[in-house]
Amino acid sequence: MTSRFVIANWKMNPQTEAEAIDLFSATRDAAKSASSVTVVVAPPFPFLSQIENRFGLANAEMRNEAKIHLGAQDLFWERDGAYTGEVSGVMEKNIGVTYVIVGHSERRRMLAENDEMVAKKLKKALELGLVPILCIGENERPGGEIPERVGEELKSAVLGLEPSMLGRIIIAYEPVWAIGSGIPDTPEDMLGAAIYIRKILTEMFNQDLATQVPILYGGSVNSANVSSFFTETSDQVAGVLVGGASLCPEEISTIITIVDRLAV
Ligand code: PGA
C-alpha cells in the first residue's frame, strides 16, 4: 500500500472562526510535510467556506499542492428544496468540499438516522462526485465476533450500487463503544472487522473491488496508539478517522507524521 488516509472529524468544534483557521493551518502544515498521506479535514458547516476562502481549496491544484482536502460531516439526499436546516452536497461541492462523512454513529444514534437515509445520502454523494466516507460499526461488542449489525449497515448502504461506484467509496469501521471512550478496538479485532467487511463486499460485488475499497479505523485513535493499527494489520487498514485527537494541533500533526512514515 502506498497511500493512506487521515480523516479529521472535528464534530461540533471549535467555536470560533479564528480557532478553526489555526487548527486547519496546523493540520495543513503537517499534511504538506507528508508524502504518502491524503489528509481530509471535516469541520462544522459554518467553517467550510471560511477555510476555503482562506486556503483556496476549491481549486484542485491548491488541494493537491497543500495535500489536504475539505470534507463535510454530512449531506442531505436532495439537491435543493424545502428542507429546513439541511445542507446539500451541491452546496458543499460548490465551496470546495471533496469528501463527505455519511452515516456517522452520532447521527444514527442521536438524530435517528436510519439505514435507508444513509443509503440515500451515500448515493447522492456519489452522484455528485463527492467521495463518501461511509461509517459503520456496532454499538456493543459482546464477545470476539463482529456483530451482524455491522454487516447489515454495510449491505443496506451499498445495495444496488454500480460496481464502478463501489470503487469510489471509503469505509470507516468505527465501533460505537470505542468512539470518544478512550478505549480503542484492538488491532486484531480491527483486522477481523476489515476481513469481514471485504468478505461481504466480495459476496455482493467481486473480490477485486472488495480488495480495493479503502477501510479505515475510527474510535479513540491518538498519537500513542495509531501505529498499532498499521503495523499489526498490514495492508487491510488504509487509514484512520480521528475525532477528539484531531482538535489538538500537536496530536493531529503527530498522527499524520506517523501514518506517513508507516505508509512508505
Ligand atoms: P474519536 O471519534 O476519535 O473521538 O473517538 C472518532 C469518530 O467519531 O469519528
Side-chain angles (χ1 to χ4, degrees):
M1 182 168 300
T2 50
S3 178
R4 299 207 198 247
F5 293 89
V6 172
I7 318 277
N9 175 14
W10 290 0
K11 308 191 180 185
M12 205 170 70
N13 304 288
Q15 300 309 306
T16 65
E17 177 183 352
E19 290 169 287
I21 296 287
D22 282 354
L23 181 55
F24 188 87
S25 185
T27 309
R28 186 191 64 150
D29 289 348
K32 266 187 157 176
S33 329
S35 54
S36 304
V37 181
T38 299
V39 177
V40 179
V41 176
F45 289 128
F47 300 136
L48 284 170
S49 25
Q50 289 164 349
I51 290 173
E52 150 50 21
N53 286 341
R54 179 68 78 93
F55 298 94
L57 298 178
N59 177 320
E61 234 170 78
M62 297 288 269
R63 283 200 297 271
N64 291 335
E65 194 198 318
K67 299 205 201 85
I68 195 159
H69 303 257
L70 262 186
Q73 296 177 18
D74 186 33
L75 82 166
F76 192 57
W77 59 76
E78 296 291 348
R79 298 177 65 94
D80 52 50
Y83 303 104
T84 302
E86 293 300 330
V87 174
S88 87
V90 180
M91 295 168 188
E92 295 173 355
K93 222 183 149 187
N94 286 341
I95 53 166
V97 167
T98 44
Y99 290 76
V100 59
I101 296 172
V102 174
H104 192 280
S105 65
E106 282 152 14
R107 299 194 59 83
R108 292 183 193 258
R109 231 169 1 107
M110 290 185 261
L111 296 157
E113 199 164 292
N114 61 30
D115 289 350
E116 192 194 333
M117 293 153 90
V118 172
K120 287 201 275 190
K121 291 182 176 193
L122 185 83
K123 287 183 183 75
K124 184 53 71 180
L126 287 166
E127 195 183 299
L128 295 172
L130 294 165
V131 179
I133 302 156
L134 170 68
C135 298
I136 54 174
E138 76 279 3
N139 287 332
E140 285 167 28
R141 174 84 60 82
E145 290 289 296
I146 308 286
E148 272 179 27
R149 178 71 193 130
V150 179
E152 283 166 19
E153 287 185 351
L154 174 62
K155 286 180 200 162
S156 62
V158 300
L159 189 73
L161 283 189
E162 291 292 323
S164 60
M165 293 285 196
L166 184 76
R168 287 176 32 216
I169 75 173
I170 294 174
I171 294 175
Y173 169 65
E174 298 205 295
V176 179
W177 51 267
I179 295 177
S181 66
I183 306 167
D185 202 357
T186 63
E188 299 74 40
D189 283 353
M190 171 57 210
L191 178 60
I195 291 169
Y196 172 74
I197 289 166
R198 291 196 203 283
K199 185 166 165 275
I200 290 176
L201 294 177
T202 301
E203 282 160 14
M204 293 180 77
F205 296 89
N206 61 60
Q207 195 174 4
D208 273 1
L209 272 174
T211 317
Q212 278 164 33
V213 172
I215 300 178
L216 316 184
Y217 169 72
S220 295
V221 171
N222 59 32
S223 61
N225 63 33
V226 66
S227 62
S228 67
F229 292 102
F230 300 101
T231 46
E232 294 181 36
T233 57
S234 67
D235 274 359
Q236 290 288 339
V237 181
V240 283
L241 178 45
V242 188
S246 73
L247 300 173
C248 167
E250 293 76 28
E251 271 289 286
I252 191 64
S253 303
T254 309
I255 289 170
I256 291 168
T257 308
I258 291 173
V259 175
D260 186 49
R261 214 178 47 220
L262 292 168
V264 179

